[in-house]
Amino acid sequence: MLDLQRLRALHAVSVHGTVGAAAAALGFTPSAVSQQIAKLERETRTVLLEREGRGVRLTDEAWQLVDAAAELLTIVERAETRLEERRGVPSGRLTIAAFASAARGLLPSVLADLAVRHPALDARLTEVDPHLSVDLVAKGAADLVVAHDWDIAPLPAPGGVEQAPIGEDLCDLLVPEGHRLAGRTAVRRAELGGERWICQPPGRVCHDWLMRTLRGAGHEPDIVHQADENPTLVALVAAGLGVALIPRLGRGPLPAGVVEVPLDPMPVRRLYALWRTGAARRPAIAETVRTLRTHWPTVAAHSAPAPQAVGSV
């Protein structure tokens, strides 16, 4: 008889692409995941993973097992949802995937609140890029996702996935002290031509939004520095190396040498919670979504900029 946990490990590798990423998502070590799959290979007398460069590739036989694992995991989730629904209280393990600034600026207070009020609920957080998160929840690799989109790039929700809005996160232009725009009370997008930009790498939501926005205003962006994390982008601005558009959530206090300038109109990214339709009745899902929406106004207020002693021009 096939072991469900070993099938879960194989399914996680198929979703995340590597043994290491699958282990991080499952809360195990890479060696533990490798051992689970090795045991599954012995049980099935089948090669499931083949080395490919520094990574692994699933064999055709492995993909057949992955399809079966997805069906079994759906059945298990349905059974767990019914049991939790009968108990009427949030309980069991809940895997949450969130993009970096939400994991830093929103989830800590939400998870702490849930832990105090619902000790039977084992909520676990994984940081993941928003481009990947929706696929993770659709494939059953995460129970709940906190993702975002921008006003010009709506977030698509695939079939079988439901979503609820959490709130709106504003984005500001950050410039070095002494920059030509540093004293302005507002800047229009048409005025942003000729700047040296600091942003996330291509393929990230924020990078794509910046490219669309500036090109829509008639400017070809000159991107001179790229980094994954917002604190690094802010540090590059503080060094006088360019300007950046950075959301407020999880940004933290700005260092000396960086001035925040509002854009007109203000860029907005919308935060959503997403979950599989089959788990919609699970109390843990409903309570976590409610807690996210309850905490958002306080988090947004704390993320608002402090008044700056800079006159308008």
Side-chain angles (χ1 to χ4, degrees):
M1 182 177 296
L2 297 176
D3 184 276
L4 182 61
Q5 293 306 316
R6 293 165 193 167
L7 289 173
R8 190 188 299 272
L10 181 64
H11 180 265
V13 173
S14 75
V15 172
H16 296 279
T18 67
V19 171
L26 293 172
F28 299 145
T29 63
S31 61
V33 171
S34 296
Q35 290 172 15
Q36 290 287 333
I37 295 177
K39 291 178 180 177
L40 186 59
E41 288 182 323
R42 289 196 294 271
E43 289 175 348
T44 59
R45 300 182 180 88
T46 304
V47 175
L48 301 176
L49 297 183
E50 294 179 340
R51 288 288 179 185
E52 187 172 67
R54 295 185 177 180
V56 294
R57 181 182 67 83
L58 273 70
T59 64
D60 292 341
E61 292 80 6
W63 283 111
Q64 292 182 9
L65 282 180
V66 166
D67 291 339
E71 295 179 15
L72 290 172
L73 292 173
T74 298
I75 294 171
V76 170
E77 179 182 61
R78 189 181 307 127
E80 291 174 340
T81 297
R82 289 172 179 169
L83 287 174
E84 187 179 329
E85 188 179 15
R86 285 180 63 86
R87 287 191 293 265
V89 295
S91 60
R93 179 176 294 190
L94 183 76
T95 57
I96 303 172
F99 62 96
S101 54
R104 180 171 59 251
L106 174 61
L107 267 300
S109 62
V110 169
L111 293 173
D113 187 3
L114 290 171
V116 170
R117 293 187 297 107
H118 302 290
L121 177 62
D122 181 14
R124 303 190 177 197
L125 172 65
T126 298
E127 183 181 306
V128 66
D129 187 84
H131 273 314
L132 306 175
S133 59
V134 177
D135 193 44
L136 292 182
V137 76
K139 292 182 176 179
D143 298 315
L144 183 72
V145 157
V146 177
H148 70 79
D149 67 10
W150 290 87
D151 45 5
I152 62 172
L155 176 72
V161 174
E162 299 182 24
Q163 66 181 34
I166 297 173
E168 293 185 343
D169 185 24
L170 303 181
C171 181
D172 299 292
L173 176 68
L174 301 187
V175 303
E177 194 173 27
H179 187 275
R180 66 181 180 91
L181 301 175
R184 298 282 294 276
T185 56
V187 173
R188 299 193 64 82
R189 299 177 188 185
E191 302 177 75
L192 297 177
E195 296 294 339
R196 291 168 61 84
W197 288 94
I198 302 166
C199 74
Q200 292 182 335
R204 299 300 181 90
V205 175
C206 293
H207 179 281
D208 297 345
W209 182 90
L210 177 65
M211 300 296 288
R212 290 190 189 188
T213 298
L214 294 183
R215 286 171 176 168
H219 308 302
E220 184 61 31
D222 180 16
I223 297 176
V224 294
H225 302 293
Q226 301 176 38
D228 283 317
E229 298 183 349
N230 284 344
T232 305
L233 302 179
V234 174
L236 291 168
V237 175
L241 299 173
V243 304
L245 285 171
I246 300 182
R248 295 176 181 177
L249 176 63
R251 190 174 66 197
L254 295 177
V258 178
V259 177
E260 188 175 58
V261 183
L263 288 180
D264 180 20
M266 181 78 75
V268 173
R269 66 175 182 178
R270 298 163 296 202
L271 274 65
Y272 296 92
L274 299 99
W275 62 92
R276 288 179 298 284
T277 301
R281 296 185 301 175
R282 186 180 174 190
I285 296 288
E287 179 61 13
T288 302
V289 172
R290 188 194 70 79
T291 305
L292 285 164
R293 300 176 79 173
T294 298
H295 278 250
W296 175 253
T298 300
V299 170
H302 287 167
S303 300
Q308 296 181 4
V310 178
S312 62
V313 176

